[in-house]
Amino acid sequence: MTVSGNNAVLAPTAITAVLLDALRKFDPRYLWHNPVLLLTEVGAALTTVIAIAEPFVGGAMPSGGTEMPAGFTWALAIGFWVCLFTATLAESIAEGRGRSQTESLRQTRRVIVAHRVQDYDFARDRAAQQAQVEEVDSHELVAGDVVVVEAGEVIPADGEVLWGAAEIDESEFTGHPGAVIRESDGDRTAVTGGTRDLSDRLVVRISTSYEASAVERTIRLASKSRRKKAPIEVAFSPLLASFSLSFVIVVLTLNSVVSPVADPVSIPVLVALVVCLIPTEIAALMSVTGIAGMSQLLHRGVLVTSAKALETAGDITTVLLDKTGTVTRGNRSAVAFVPVAGAEPDLLMRMAALASFADPTPEGVSTVRLATESGVAFEDAETDGGQPVMFSAVTRLSGIDLPNGLKIRKGAASAAVAWLKRQGMAPPREVLNELRAATREVAGSGGTPLVVVMKPIEGTRQVLGVIHLQDVVKSTVPKRIGELSALGLRTVMVTGDHELTAKAISEQAGIDECVGDTTPEGKLALIVREQEQGHLVAMSGDGINDAPALAQADIGIAMNTATSAAKDAANMIILDDDPAHLVDIVEVGRRQMATRGALMTFNLANDVVRYFTLFPALFVGVFPGLAALNVLQLHSPASAILSTVIFSSLVMGILIPLALIGVPYRTTGAKPALGRNLLINGLSGLLVPIIGIKLIDMIISLLPGY
């Protein structure tokens, strides 16, 4: 049951644990949640009781006018138990794979000593140098706690860096060697519990408790036996139960119906009829495909915290991508200043730098650095007593209000002009036209324009110019966007940046559509609109402002460096921050759908053959003409029934690797896919039991009495 490579069904070291777990699942309290398997267990137990009692009542009872050989009932009972064992083994193997793949994650979640800060004061002692620190177990940490992590120590839980910058080893999670930088006041503040600080001191605010972390949720989902069923499993449960119930009703009434013309069918044979024809394979393997899908994505570096999301992945039609941090690297830097309306370059640079002194983002830091490198000299005292205005996703502006009455703002062009209008200083038309031309030129080159405006103490100048910010498209994005398009998905980039910037970046990345100047409310409205039009939407984002959209989307995908709000709203997390995994998510989802369709078609085709092996054997002793329906020319009624039972047990074992590894699929329309499924899986579903049952019958026919 094992193969080598990434598609290994089961590691040899886990075999004993999995076999014991499969036996533990015989507990009726566990099988109660799977009526089909519970029915199989009841039939196996009943047949075992009859087999034990037969020596005391004169041996095996005839069935349908046919004498049954000695030991026939025992053979059936053993076959039923083996059939049940292979069914429970399927889920045990899937859970065993989940446990083995999450073992390294569990190791990183071990209890470690955390240095928790008491009464942390962000304003006065941001570095926690003077604060009192206590040692606690990492599992005692809750959201909101602040901890200090020194170089060489393990980060105790998921959180965000409040102070400091350090190299972090995330290789155990992402599988990628090398360190990454995590620092305060930027887009790379998120740290993951279990990763190691390699270089410097950090102050970290814990964002989630141990139990609520994305890693722990994934571990429970992938390896916990009593997991919550996915929607398709829930939907199929009543169908499978009703299908099984119909067979139970048939066998319970069969003898009453035929009693005037035929001898009764024995109870063990009636049980064989139920066990072989109820959808045992589907009931056992439906959940296996879901667990296997999560394991496959975990191997590729994607945490899945919702079984529903994985099912939905196969049906996604639209992918919405946030620009910063997903399509681009997210570290936009100032590369040039563009004066407008006759503004002096030095004045533009000075005002832009003053507006950025309190801005800790890469944009603000790079603006101050570029102004300084360009020869603009100013003293920190110039901002003393000033009131910083921090950036907001709603206002899309930041800046400073100085004590002398000077107010400076920088941000999106539309927001900056609107702010001037609210100050009663609407720019003239010719200034607006020049500003529009400057922002279009910057945006058209793929950069992001930040407009600098001010409300002066005296004079009339308000619009100063544009800061040219430049970001870089991630190297893997264009190729993966092409692969998403090849899968038939429509890609849309949404960003708060200028429309022209969005268009230039989307063209660079090969994205189908783009929407710029978007607020958090706009992103949410866009997703709702897409869903109302019948589309299933996957949204990728990493900022606080992306959280509402991630929660609304059918699949919310956050990067590992995303804010806590984005991670909490998402139901998938990409550990190595590579949007290339969007393709993996869709492919695994579609493979899961294809595998389930293949298993159902194969099982139903199997049942057609089983009808022709079982029903003629029921009454051929009374009605010899039924032998004409014995199309496989099976040796005797007893060998036909036993061969079918044995095949039902063996075929489950054959299908387990298929359910775990998955079947290939092609991106085609529904009709060609259905035709191919019926042709390949339907035909094999007929041929495999024909060949298998016939071969088993040939072996059984060599036994005495058969």
Side-chain angles (χ1 to χ4, degrees):
M1 191 75 67
T2 61
V3 296
S4 61
N6 294 339
N7 284 333
V9 174
L10 189 66
T13 54
I15 290 177
T16 301
V18 166
L19 293 177
L20 292 175
D21 186 60
L23 290 174
R24 281 193 291 268
K25 284 182 167 58
F26 278 26
D27 187 342
R29 291 171 296 181
Y30 178 85
L31 294 180
W32 178 258
H33 301 284
N34 196 326
V36 176
L37 299 188
L38 180 62
L39 190 60
T40 301
E41 183 174 50
V42 170
L46 178 60
T47 306
T48 302
V49 171
I50 294 173
I52 294 172
E54 278 184 348
F56 304 101
V57 295
M61 297 293 293
S63 178
T66 302
E67 292 294 331
M68 294 299 167
F72 175 71
T73 305
W74 269 116
L76 287 183
I78 294 172
F80 299 154
W81 286 115
V82 172
C83 185
L84 178 63
F85 178 74
T86 53
T88 58
L89 181 65
E91 189 162 325
S92 293
I93 289 176
E95 292 168 359
R97 290 184 92 207
R99 281 191 293 269
S100 65
Q101 284 195 305
T102 55
E103 188 59 34
S104 62
L105 290 179
R106 282 199 181 278
Q107 291 299 319
T108 64
R109 307 302 292 175
R110 64 189 183 276
V111 178
I112 60 175
V113 175
H115 305 290
R116 183 167 60 189
V117 179
Q118 296 181 350
D119 301 322
Y120 178 67
D121 190 334
F122 181 84
R124 297 182 179 179
D125 186 18
R126 191 175 179 187
Q129 298 285 3
Q130 311 301 323
Q132 185 175 352
V133 177
E134 61 176 343
E135 292 187 352
V136 298
D137 287 345
S138 57
H139 290 187
E140 296 180 16
L141 297 173
V142 297
D145 283 348
V146 175
V147 298
V148 173
V149 182
E150 300 288 351
E153 293 182 347
V154 174
I155 294 171
D158 295 357
E160 295 182 79
V161 178
L162 296 178
W163 177 88
E167 291 185 325
I168 305 295
D169 180 8
E170 297 182 346
S171 58
E172 287 192 47
F173 284 88
T174 65
H176 293 179
V180 295
I181 300 296
R182 295 291 178 260
E183 58 186 340
S184 61
D185 303 327
D187 295 327
R188 300 287 182 241
T189 63
V191 289
T192 304
T195 58
R196 186 174 295 276
D197 181 347
L198 298 178
S199 63
D200 298 279
R201 187 173 191 268
L202 294 176
V203 177
V204 177
R205 179 173 55 219
I206 303 303
S207 58
T208 182
S209 65
Y210 165 78
E211 289 294 332
S213 68
V215 171
E216 187 61 25
R217 281 183 287 158
T218 299
I219 290 172
R220 290 198 299 267
L221 191 62
S223 60
K224 190 174 181 181
S225 299
R226 299 185 183 277
R227 65 188 181 89
K228 184 179 179 181
K229 289 186 177 181
I232 194 168
E233 295 176 57
V234 174
F236 265 98
S237 292
L239 178 63
L240 298 179
S242 60
F243 195 39
S244 302
L245 182 62
S246 65
F247 280 107
V248 173
I249 294 173
V250 168
V251 300
L252 289 177
T253 59
L254 182 63
N255 283 333
S256 299
V257 172
V258 302
S259 58
V261 294
D263 295 337
V265 178
S266 67
I267 292 178
V269 173
L270 290 175
V271 172
L273 197 65
V274 172
V275 170
C276 292
L277 295 180
I278 60 176
T280 310
E281 291 94 336
I282 298 175
L285 298 177
M286 187 68 71
S287 62
V288 171
T289 58
I291 299 173
M294 285 183 284
S295 295
Q296 289 168 16
L297 281 178
L298 183 60
H299 179 77
R300 302 183 193 194
V302 180
L303 293 180
V304 180
T305 60
S306 165
K308 179 181 178 181
L310 182 57
E311 283 188 354
T312 307
D315 292 322
I316 288 297
T317 57
T318 303
V319 178
L320 267 58
L321 304 164
D322 181 54
K323 181 180 80 71
T324 305
T326 301
V327 176
T328 63
R329 296 188 183 278
N331 52 348
R332 296 182 299 183
S333 299
V335 295
F337 295 102
V338 183
V340 298
E344 292 293 332
D346 283 355
L347 177 62
L348 168 60
M349 290 188 286
R350 177 179 292 277
M351 294 300 105
L354 289 174
S356 303
F357 259 113
D359 183 353
T361 65
E363 293 93 330
V365 172
S366 64
T367 297
V368 175
R369 182 176 62 246
L370 181 61
T372 303
E373 291 173 353
S374 301
V376 175
F378 41 79
E379 301 293 336
D380 291 348
E382 293 185 55
T383 60
D384 286 349
Q387 182 63 43
V389 177
M390 306 308 292
F391 177 81
S392 162
V394 176
T395 64
R396 293 184 293 158
L397 288 172
S398 63
I400 191 169
D401 293 339
L402 296 176
N404 60 6
L406 177 65
K407 296 182 178 181
I408 313 168
R409 297 291 185 271
K410 70 179 196 304
S414 56
V417 171
W419 179 80
L420 282 177
K421 289 180 178 178
R422 290 195 298 273
Q423 304 302 312
M425 306 178 70
R429 182 179 298 275
E430 59 273 15
V431 173
L432 290 177
N433 289 339
E434 188 176 348
L435 177 64
R436 190 176 296 114
T439 56
R440 283 180 177 275
E441 184 177 353
V442 171
S445 67
T448 299
L450 284 187
V451 174
V452 181
V453 297
M454 69 176 183
K455 181 181 180 183
I457 306 168
E458 57 183 6
T460 59
R461 184 176 302 284
Q462 303 99 23
V463 180
L464 299 175
V466 176
I467 306 171
H468 183 164
L469 300 176
Q470 192 67 49
D471 201 352
V472 180
V473 174
K474 291 183 177 179
S475 58
T476 57
V477 168
K479 179 183 177 183
R480 290 301 190 170
I481 294 297
E483 292 175 354
L484 287 173
S485 299
L487 291 172
L489 301 178
R490 176 168 142 264
T491 52
V492 181
M493 188 180 76
V494 289
T495 176
D497 285 345
H498 194 281
E499 281 279 3
L500 287 178
T501 302
K503 183 178 180 181
I505 293 292
S506 64
E507 288 176 351
Q508 266 185 279
I511 296 172
D512 297 325
E513 301 176 26
C514 65
V515 180
D517 288 323
T518 307
T519 62
E521 294 78 9
K523 293 180 182 180
L524 182 62
L526 176 61
I527 292 176
V528 171
R529 190 161 59 248
E530 290 283 335
Q531 291 171 332
E532 288 175 347
Q533 294 172 0
H535 297 292
L536 288 178
V537 180
M539 168 70 185
S540 174
D542 62 357
I544 293 176
N545 58 325
D546 294 322
L550 289 170
Q552 177 65 35
D554 298 286
I555 298 180
I557 304 166
M559 302 297 152
N560 194 36
T561 53
T563 60
S564 300
K567 284 184 177 180
D568 290 341
N571 40 42
M572 293 189 185
I573 297 174
I574 296 177
L575 292 176
D576 60 2
D577 302 322
D578 187 352
H581 291 304
L582 290 168
V583 177
D584 295 330
I585 292 170
V586 175
E587 285 184 339
V588 170
R590 290 189 178 181
R591 182 181 290 270
Q592 177 179 282
M593 290 173 56
T595 301
R596 286 176 170 171
L599 290 172
M600 293 179 65
T601 304
F602 184 88
N603 180 252
L604 293 175
N606 271 215
D607 284 348
V608 173
V609 177
R610 289 168 184 164
Y611 285 123
F612 283 95
T613 61
L614 290 174
F615 281 104
L618 296 180
F619 300 107
V620 71
V622 179
F623 304 107
L626 289 175
L629 295 178
N630 183 13
V631 293
L632 298 186
Q633 295 298 298
L634 302 179
H635 188 263
S636 68
S639 69
I641 294 169
L642 186 56
S643 298
T644 306
V645 171
I646 293 175
F647 173 79
S648 297
S649 301
L650 293 178
V651 75
M652 185 85 71
I654 295 171
L655 293 177
I656 290 174
L658 181 69
L660 290 171
I661 298 172
V663 301
Y665 78 96
R666 298 177 185 172
T667 305
T668 57
K671 188 174 180 180
L674 177 62
R676 189 170 56 255
N677 181 38
L678 292 175
L679 178 64
I680 297 175
N681 301 307
L683 186 59
S684 61
L686 293 174
L687 293 178
V688 169
I690 288 173
I691 297 171
I693 293 175
K694 181 62 179 177
L695 289 175
I696 296 171
D697 178 76
M698 292 171 64
I699 296 172
I700 291 177
S701 64
L702 301 176
L703 300 176
Y706 286 89

